[in-house]
Every structure is written in C-alpha cells, then in structure tokens.
Amino acid sequence: MNAQQNKAAYVNQVFSRIAKRYDLMNSLLSFQQHKRWRRFAMNHIQIQPGQDALDVAAGTGDWTFSLAEAVGSTGHVDGIDFTREMLDVAEVKLVDRPSLQNTVHFIHGDAMALPFADNTYDVATIGFALRNVPDILTVLREMTRVVKPGGQVVSLELSKPEWPPFRSLYYFYFYRILPTIGGLVAGAKEQYGWLPESLTNFPDRFGLESLFSQAGLVDIKSYPLTGGIAALHIGRKVAD
C-alpha cells in the first residue's frame, strides 16, 4: 500500500469513527464559527436557482443542503463522500428535509476519481476536507474537470493565521487543547488528534491559491476568515 492509499485508509477510519458526533464536535471545536464561514461562502458563490452543484467530501451534508436550498426545486445537487458512515448521517438528516429530497442525491465515491462526466456542474465545492485528501492537486483537477466552462470550484477549509501572535495562540489550542476535548466529549482523542496533524503540511492561503492555478482555474480569489483560522477559495474554469 503506497502513501496515498495509507492516508486514504486512515482518514476513512478517522471519520467513520467520529461520524455520529461530527456535527456536535464541529460546532463545539469551532465555537460555532463553521456555520458563519459557510454562510460567508454561500454569499460569495454565484449560484442560481435551477443550476447543478456538486459537494465533494459532503460528509454529513450541511453544505450539500445549503447548496440545495440555493438551486431550488429546479436544480440538482450531488453530495459525494468516501466514508459510508458520514453519508449515513447525511441521509438521516435528509429525511427531515422533505423539500430537498428531490434535489439532493448522496453518492458513496472517491474525490480523487470523481464518477461524473466532464462539464457537468455549475459549481463544485469542498468543505473542511481538502486537507484530508491523499493529493490536493488531483482533487482540484477532478473538480475542475467536472464543472462546466465558466463554472466555479470552491474550497472552504481550515487555514493558518497570518498574524504571528494569534497564530501561536491558535496553534496552542489546535494542537494541545482540541484533541483533549475530542477525547472527553466524543471519546475519540486519537481521531481528533488527526485534525491538527492534517493541517501541519497543508498549504497556507497563498499556497492554496497557487494549487488552484495549477489545476487550471482562473480569476482566483481567497478570503481569510476569523483571523485566518479558515479561508475561502474560489476559482473559475476557463470559459470556451
């Protein structure tokens, strides 16, 4: 098994273990900021009623549902994730959203090899998952491939604060406190220890801009959020 396969297998094990408590822990560990970040992202994505969207690494479906509300009953949203247990949670949540059930379709699949035709979607998003994939550039190229010419590729992800004093404070929380909270609340200290590890070698906001460009995207914009704890990146596929 090579390094990419090892990472994929480990990440799958991590998220299968924490799937049922993922939403609770997301809110607790981000101090509810992840909801505000997602609202900010939706306000900056140019998505219209009737369009088609893809949510890569959809997890428990929160961003998938936001996209579905935006495209409305005349649009369509696919949410794909390779951890079956996360999708099981998303499917349960969809039952409580009858107005979205004809719009949303969840698929068990791999972000590294998206099972969709070229030029299918108006928007492709990935939220809080790009740092977990075996190869970032491969996933961005796959997302670029499946969006239509002129379509958008969007990442909302944890990042690295740019102001050194705040970065030091944040790293202390992220590396020392967060895994302990994960152990106490979710009984998964080892799994929540993966979160800071996943950020260590992940590019900063400007490095991720460069990868967007290498994936063939243009008009790239990035926005630091909450002092740079997270960042939103938006790129556009070259129009025909």
Side-chain angles (χ1 to χ4, degrees), residues 107-146:
I107 300 159
H108 187 214
D110 189 355
M112 296 278 287
L114 294 172
F116 310 111
D118 297 357
N119 308 322
T120 298
Y121 300 96
D122 297 286
V123 177
T125 64
I126 184 166
F128 307 111
L130 197 54
R131 71 188 186 282
N132 295 320
V133 302
D135 186 85
I136 297 168
L137 188 54
T138 296
V139 171
L140 290 176
R141 284 174 171 158
E142 277 292 277
M143 293 173 70
T144 302
R145 177 183 65 78
V146 301

Side-chain angles (χ1 to χ4, degrees), residues 17-222:
R17 175 71 172 78
I18 66 175
K20 291 182 179 179
R21 290 184 175 266
Y22 178 82
D23 290 338
L24 169 66
M25 294 302 295
N26 238 14
S27 295
L28 178 64
L29 296 174
S30 73
F31 303 100
Q32 298 284 349
Q33 290 297 296
H34 71 104
K35 296 180 180 179
R36 188 173 71 85
W37 298 335
R38 193 179 298 109
R39 287 195 298 270
F40 181 91
M42 290 301 298
N43 287 335
H44 284 75
I45 299 172
Q46 297 169 14
I47 188 165
Q48 304 297 324
Q51 290 189 323
D52 298 317
L54 172 66
D55 189 20
V56 177
T60 61
D62 282 349
W63 204 353
T64 315
F65 300 140
S66 294
L67 292 165
E69 290 167 357
V71 303
S73 60
T74 58
H76 181 80
V77 181
D78 287 323
I80 186 169
D81 200 284
F82 84 144
T83 301
R84 181 68 259 177
E85 290 81 359
M86 295 286 276
L87 289 180
D88 289 342
V89 175
E91 294 279 10
V92 170
K93 291 161 71 173
L94 182 59
V95 171
D96 295 328
R97 294 165 170 81
S99 64
L100 303 182
Q101 288 172 9
N102 292 328
T103 304
V104 171
H105 181 213
F106 287 113
I107 300 159
H108 187 214
D110 189 355
M112 296 278 287
L114 294 172
F116 310 111
D118 297 357
N119 308 322
T120 298
Y121 300 96
D122 297 286
V123 177
T125 64
I126 184 166
F128 307 111
L130 197 54
R131 71 188 186 282
N132 295 320
V133 302
D135 186 85
I136 297 168
L137 188 54
T138 296
V139 171
L140 290 176
R141 284 174 171 158
E142 277 292 277
M143 293 173 70
T144 302
R145 177 183 65 78
V146 301
V147 297
K148 301 172 185 177
Q152 299 170 96
V153 171
V154 183
S155 167
L156 178 60
E157 183 56 274
L158 296 180
S159 191
K160 299 176 179 180
E162 295 164 21
W163 187 46
F166 181 58
R167 183 168 62 240
S168 297
L169 180 63
Y170 174 66
Y171 280 3
F172 177 80
Y173 166 74
F174 201 60
Y175 284 89
R176 300 292 183 87
I177 306 300
L178 183 150
T180 300
I181 296 174
L184 292 173
V185 177
K189 184 174 182 179
E190 177 185 349
Q191 285 76 19
Y192 277 94
W194 162 253
L195 296 182
E197 182 181 341
S198 69
L199 188 63
T200 299
N201 295 318
F202 190 71
D204 63 15
R205 178 164 65 96
F206 304 106
L208 191 51
E209 283 185 5
S210 177
L211 289 175
F212 265 57
S213 179
Q214 291 177 52
L217 297 162
V218 298
D219 300 331
I220 299 160
K221 296 181 175 63
S222 69

